[in-house]
Amino acid sequence: MKATGFNGFMARIDAAEYGLCCRLNRGALGVALYTLLKRLFVRERPFITHQAISRAAAPLDRYSFPSGHTLHAVSFTWQACAHFPELGWVLLPLTALIAASRVVLGLHYPTDVLAGATIGAALAELGLAFA
């Protein structure tokens, strides 16, 4: 029987906390993975390659593929919504805005954002599998 009301909410909090350690490890894995991919692909950021694109924010490093911001936003949102679906109405638009901002700011190509989102979703599913 599934707990409802306050007890159900607390049970979901406990489940989320139980998986937190695994998720933090997936976050570290995400950082390691996108750092490795940036070094392997060595894709210059759009504002470096195309002089017509102005940089609207300072980049964290020189290379763009994949988008780490998008990776972590998607991973967090995916996992948070798995435990608290009612947060989706806030988290999904926020994640979409984070992903879009990376392109608008001239820091990433759309494919960088798509790759980051794909990796983030895969890592989130991996984290949920261990929760």
Side-chain angles (χ1 to χ4, degrees):
M1 185 167 107
K2 188 174 184 178
T4 59
F6 182 74
N7 289 336
F9 180 75
M10 292 308 293
R12 290 188 338 206
I13 295 266
D14 289 343
E17 288 175 357
Y18 175 76
L20 182 60
C21 182
C22 291
R23 289 185 186 87
L24 289 175
N25 288 334
R26 298 309 169 270
L29 179 60
V31 170
L33 187 56
Y34 84 76
T35 301
L36 173 68
L37 290 173
K38 282 180 184 261
R39 290 182 181 160
L40 284 175
F41 285 96
V42 190
R43 184 179 194 182
E44 297 281 352
R45 292 188 182 272
F47 74 88
I48 295 171
T49 305
H50 306 284
Q51 299 302 317
I53 297 174
S54 61
R55 178 186 75 180
L60 297 175
D61 57 30
R62 184 172 178 91
Y63 304 116
S64 71
F65 185 87
S67 169
H69 283 83
T70 304
L71 183 156
H72 292 293
V74 168
S75 184
F76 172 78
T77 296
W78 195 291
Q79 293 177 73
C81 287
H83 290 286
F84 304 101
E86 63 274 13
L87 294 178
W89 72 274
V90 173
L91 293 178
L92 292 170
L94 179 62
T95 298
L97 288 171
I98 289 169
S101 75
R102 308 314 293 161
V103 176
V104 171
L105 292 172
L107 299 173
H108 289 284
Y109 295 97
T111 51
D112 301 339
V113 170
L114 182 61
T118 302
I119 295 167
L123 290 173
E125 279 296 312
L126 183 62
L128 290 170
F130 288 99

